[in-house]
Amino acid sequence: RAKSQGRNGYQLFTETMNADALGRLLLEHSLYKGLGRGEFSLYYQPQIEMNTWSIGSVEALIRWRHPTLGLLLPGQFIPLAEEIGLIVPLGEWVLREACRQGALWREQGRSIRIAINLSARQFEQAGLVEMVQSALQDSGFPAELLDLELTESTIIQNKDNAAETLGTLRELGVRICIDDFGTGYSSLSYLRRFPLDVLKIDRSFVTGLAEDARDQAVVRALIDLAHALGLVVIAEGVENVAQRNTLFDLGCDVMQGFLFSPALSVEEVDIFLDTIPNTRRH
Ligand code: C2E
Ligand code: MG
Ligand code: MG
Ligand code: MG
């Protein structure tokens, strides 16, 4: 087809290909540089505990302040970071930074639980347990306040070692959370086969919850099953009062979503916590 368009058509085609490859290469290069230059930062999205109506925890979500492209969201660079393996040092930075911030909040009299996301590449990395242990030790952040979020597919990709790795991590005292639950090749048997503490119901089940009777039936069953297995249930992507009320009635323990707050910078978290009178303080 390129040939029938003559020389120009063919050139256009190859130039486009080169532009894509070049863009990727540049992004790859600036990812490495960005890590060295401290261009990444963590934002924290509050998670509201339903029984106390307080912020017991936050989820750390990575952002990249790119020198020319502006603030980038994880969807714009995490897949490439995973592909090229940079997610391993980047993920270590996330863990250490979250622990450092968590320890600082504790010094300021705030015991906030922090959840971080682990990618599949990190989970299968030898030495993960030692890395988590050393991040906790170096920062002084208590393991009991750290949540590690993994998706079902991460666990399933590492089926053979997953139970053992999760068990060893859990022995450190951290909680294991299954993220985006219901979006992967979910098998309910995983819920009892693997040592887990928290089930995060994916946003896709929350969206239509208030109107859709079938979504309600699924979420009700999920919450009841999770509770029967001794898991804490967190709902993701709660955007309106109708969803919140339905989840509350179904017995959901913790909620996270734009209704309460988006992910915030540290400065914004401090302001947010100060304006909520019943935030747990020590
Ligand atoms: P996730 O772990 O499921 O995080 C929740 C995502 O949903 C966040 O997007 C959050 O901003 C967004 N969100 C929260 N509440 C609402 C809501 O009410 N409505 C809607 N529409 N969205 C909501 P974000 O920050 O863009 O992160 C996207 C994904 O990137 C995360 O999904 C996680 O899988 C990954 N990610 C983020 N930070 C890290 C990290 O440090 N390491 C790794 N490996 N992955 C990360
Ligand atoms: Mg998550
Ligand atoms: Mg999630
Ligand atoms: Mg999600």
Side-chain angles (χ1 to χ4, degrees):
R1 185 161 174 239
K3 203 176 170 189
S4 72
Q5 286 173 349
R7 200 177 134 74
N8 285 337
Y10 179 72
Q11 267 187 349
L12 191 68
F13 177 68
T14 52
E15 271 167 18
T16 312
M17 295 288 285
N18 287 337
D20 285 353
L22 185 63
R24 225 189 85 108
L25 198 67
L26 288 174
L27 186 64
E28 203 177 306
H29 180 62
S30 64
L31 262 175
Y32 280 102
K33 265 206 327 218
L35 185 57
R37 289 182 178 174
E39 290 170 6
F40 293 93
S41 62
L42 293 183
Y43 275 46
Y44 298 90
Q45 187 176 31
Q47 299 179 327
I48 315 299
E49 268 175 50
M50 287 299 110
N51 59 355
T52 56
W53 202 246
S54 64
I55 301 163
S57 48
V58 291
E59 177 175 3
L61 295 161
I62 195 167
R63 302 290 182 260
W64 182 9
R65 292 181 207 282
H66 192 279
T68 54
L69 300 175
L71 194 71
L72 300 184
L73 292 170
Q76 297 171 282
F77 61 88
I78 288 285
L80 182 60
E82 281 181 7
E83 211 180 299
I84 64 180
L86 186 73
I87 193 66
V88 173
L90 189 61
E92 176 165 356
W93 176 82
V94 168
L95 177 65
R96 290 186 178 277
E97 174 61 15
C99 289
R100 187 195 63 75
Q101 183 58 52
L104 187 64
W105 273 326
R106 263 170 63 86
E107 272 172 36
Q108 297 167 351
R110 293 184 166 121
S111 271
I112 306 171
R113 173 183 291 286
I114 301 182
I116 65 146
N117 294 281
L118 284 186
S119 83
R121 278 289 273 274
Q122 283 179 281
F123 187 58
E124 67 195 19
Q125 190 78 10
L128 171 69
V129 177
E130 290 74 12
M131 198 267 282
V132 173
Q133 193 166 27
S134 120
L136 290 166
Q137 262 164 16
D138 294 351
S139 62
F141 190 59
E144 290 66 33
L145 289 180
L146 183 66
D147 281 4
L148 301 179
E149 298 192 0
L150 303 100
T151 63
E152 293 158 87
S153 59
T154 292
I155 294 176
I156 291 155
Q157 276 173 49
N158 293 273
K159 227 184 358 280
D160 297 338
N161 309 313
E164 199 192 326
T165 308
L166 292 177
T168 320
L169 283 169
R170 214 170 174 224
E171 277 166 22
L172 298 177
V174 304
R175 297 198 311 186
I176 308 294
C177 314
I178 186 152
D179 202 358
D180 303 343
F181 191 79
T183 55
Y185 293 97
S186 315
S187 163
L188 294 180
S189 72
Y190 292 125
L191 289 184
R192 66 173 170 78
R193 238 180 65 199
F194 295 110
L196 305 168
D197 301 283
V198 179
L199 185 148
K200 295 190 76 175
I201 299 176
D202 189 67
R203 184 171 81 228
S204 55
F205 293 98
V206 172
T207 306
L209 190 62
E211 306 89 44
D212 190 327
R214 287 183 305 177
D215 278 352
Q216 251 177 62
V218 171
V219 171
R220 181 194 307 274
L222 265 183
I223 292 177
D224 290 348
L225 177 68
H227 283 165
L229 293 169
L231 304 178
V232 169
V233 178
I234 302 181
E236 296 189 300
V238 182
E239 292 184 349
N240 61 52
V241 171
Q243 292 163 346
R244 182 198 69 190
N245 290 347
T246 309
L247 285 161
F248 186 84
D249 291 343
L250 294 177
C252 179
D253 305 299
V254 179
M255 295 189 209
Q256 177 180 352
F258 294 164
L259 174 66
F260 304 100
S261 171
L264 304 171
S265 68
V266 170
E267 295 72 27
E268 291 169 326
V269 171
D270 289 339
I271 294 166
F272 194 82
L273 291 179
D274 282 337
T275 58
I276 306 259
N278 61 348
T279 300
R280 206 190 325 151
R281 281 166 184 267
H282 288 212

